[in-house]
Amino acid sequence: MIGHGDFGTKSSGVRAQMAERVARDVEAALEADGIAAAVERPWSRIVVRTDRPRAAARVAATLPGIAFARPAVAVDPEMTAIRTAVRRLATAGPHDASETYAVDSDRIGPADAHDFSSRDVDVEAGRVVGEVTGASVDLDDPDRTYRIEVREREAFVSATRFEGPGGLPVGTQGRVAVLVSGGLDSPVAMWRLLRRGCVAVPVYVDLGAYGGADHRARALEAVRTVAERAPRADLRPRIVDGGGLVDRVVESAEHTRMLSLRRAMLAAAEGVAETVDAHSVATGEALGQKSSQTGWNLAVTDAAASLPVHRPLLTEDKPDIVAMARELGTYTDATLPVGCDRIAPAHPETNATLDDVLDAEPDGLLDTAREAGRSAELGSL
């Protein structure tokens, strides 16, 4: 049993379209994981018929647009069958006497569809769990909640809930060209954009001698990890040849070097955006996290872009970003040494003006970077 994410309040037509998209995403994710299943959308839930419900729920709960996934037992909508299913789950849990529990049930459908109420289900199911486990009831903060949905033709009984990321289905909010480096921040930013319904097209700027094979491999592995959560989206990375751009910036600029490099990267991302019909570009920057990310410096780098620049992590603290990277599965690779650290000057500018940057910036840098973006190599996942 799968519950939708952040689109439950939209119009019925939009809600139906988004739910259908989520259902197809679930279908693709389960197929990729080798889980045989039939995915249905009979009403306000998505139902996955499979003999591996727990594994299917774990996979589904990683996808944008999904609020929760519950492995469930499907039975006839009769009290005897519901009691049997509850007993089965309480026994198999295992649910012991040290765990408190509650029952949360809904009876959905015409008034005459069942000869019992939701309250009757709560009482009967609660009695069964108590008999099997000897545990105590706690309606305020239970260790385990038995969730029962009784519909007209079928009842679904569950004792486990996997929380999903919520948000919107991928592809409902257009494309964004997002700069990725494989560090801690940018894969999390890419994930945040996917969660809000964007197809986050990854743009990796190859730094040439300043990056190296390990730097590139790390970035592409991070992209692959994030892309698993959007199985139907084209998230193949666009790889920009940026070695020449770096050489020009290093030769020309000193204190404002990192700002010119960031500006060139934004321009390259815009070049990619043109080729994939993206409405904006994005980065993993957070306000004040590095010298190039002070408020003044972000204003200077944004002046290089004509498209909107999104920063999903703008106000996040570093420990929270690290926690998100761990949860996403990109943390380990992200902690390898970063090649671009060798580019940074000893005393970077933290309060730059646009004139300061332009005075030191190589002529035609942004035009060259945009063209490099337009000519980006299409990578594979």
Side-chain angles (χ1 to χ4, degrees):
M1 292 284 289
I2 294 172
H4 305 157
D6 192 35
F7 55 91
T9 60
K10 296 187 179 295
S11 68
S12 58
V14 172
R15 191 165 61 246
Q17 290 174 3
M18 290 192 173
E20 180 64 21
R21 188 180 286 267
V22 169
R24 301 290 73 83
D25 286 347
V26 170
E27 199 170 58
L30 295 179
E31 182 179 353
D33 223 56
I35 298 174
V39 181
E40 306 168 2
R41 192 174 60 80
W43 5 265
S44 61
R45 295 277 189 264
I46 294 171
V47 177
V48 179
R49 311 278 182 180
T50 177
D51 59 1
R52 297 176 61 192
R54 192 174 185 88
R58 284 187 181 277
V59 171
T62 66
L63 303 178
I66 290 178
F68 62 83
R70 294 192 186 102
V73 178
V75 297
D76 291 334
E78 301 169 354
M79 189 65 80
T80 299
I82 293 170
R83 280 196 294 259
T84 299
V86 171
R87 184 177 298 277
R88 171 183 167 187
L89 292 178
T91 302
H95 181 173
D96 60 37
S98 67
E99 293 181 297
T100 59
Y101 72 95
V103 177
D104 177 23
S105 64
D106 282 320
R107 193 193 64 80
I108 301 161
D112 60 354
H114 313 98
D115 59 359
F116 52 82
S117 66
S118 295
R119 173 63 179 164
D120 294 332
V121 176
D122 287 343
V123 171
E124 284 297 302
R127 181 181 60 78
V128 169
V129 175
E131 287 179 358
V132 171
T133 66
S136 301
V137 173
D138 184 346
L139 301 181
D140 295 321
D141 186 25
D143 295 317
R144 187 179 298 236
T145 298
Y146 291 79
R147 171 67 182 162
I148 305 170
E149 289 190 22
V150 186
R151 296 187 175 265
E152 191 170 358
R153 295 182 176 85
E154 204 167 17
F156 300 87
V157 184
S158 176
T160 305
R161 171 176 168 134
F162 295 104
E163 296 297 333
L168 301 175
V170 176
T172 59
Q173 303 303 311
R175 294 183 177 88
V176 178
V178 54
L179 286 164
V180 295
S181 66
L184 285 165
D185 306 321
S186 57
V188 177
M190 179 181 170
W191 162 241
R192 283 285 187 88
L193 291 164
L194 290 174
R195 184 184 167 277
R196 293 310 304 169
C198 294
V199 175
V201 179
V203 179
Y204 171 69
V205 180
D206 192 319
L207 302 176
Y210 289 91
D214 290 343
H215 188 270
R216 175 169 171 159
R218 181 187 68 170
L220 299 186
E221 183 59 31
V223 168
R224 279 189 283 271
T225 299
V226 178
E228 292 176 355
R229 296 175 177 243
R232 294 195 305 139
D234 183 1
L235 300 183
R236 289 175 296 174
R238 272 59 178 183
I239 302 168
V240 178
D241 183 359
L245 298 172
V246 181
D247 288 339
R248 291 182 62 192
V249 168
V250 170
E251 290 172 4
S252 177
E254 179 57 38
H255 302 310
T256 60
R257 180 184 299 168
M258 295 307 295
L259 300 183
S260 286
L261 181 58
R262 295 302 297 174
R263 284 162 54 82
M265 288 181 171
L266 282 180
E270 281 200 329
V272 171
E274 290 180 25
T275 67
V276 300
D277 194 27
H279 51 61
S280 53
V281 298
T283 80
E285 293 167 310
L287 189 62
Q289 186 181 119
K290 295 181 179 179
S291 61
S292 63
Q293 297 173 24
T294 65
W296 300 273
N297 286 351
L298 290 180
V300 169
T301 54
D302 277 9
S306 57
L307 291 177
V309 180
H310 300 309
R311 293 184 173 89
L313 307 182
L314 184 71
T315 60
E316 296 289 346
D317 292 340
K318 193 66 174 187
D320 295 329
I321 297 172
V322 169
M324 286 184 271
R326 288 184 185 278
E327 183 177 349
L328 191 58
T330 58
Y331 173 80
T332 300
D333 288 333
T335 54
L336 295 173
V338 180
C340 62
D341 285 346
R342 293 162 40 219
I343 306 172
H347 302 288
E349 178 61 63
T350 60
N351 188 14
T353 67
L354 184 56
D355 287 341
D356 292 336
V357 175
L358 292 176
D359 284 346
E361 196 167 274
D363 292 338
L365 177 70
L366 302 186
D367 290 338
T368 303
R370 285 191 183 88
E371 186 54 41
R374 297 184 191 105
S375 305
E377 172 194 346
L378 181 60
S380 61
L381 293 175

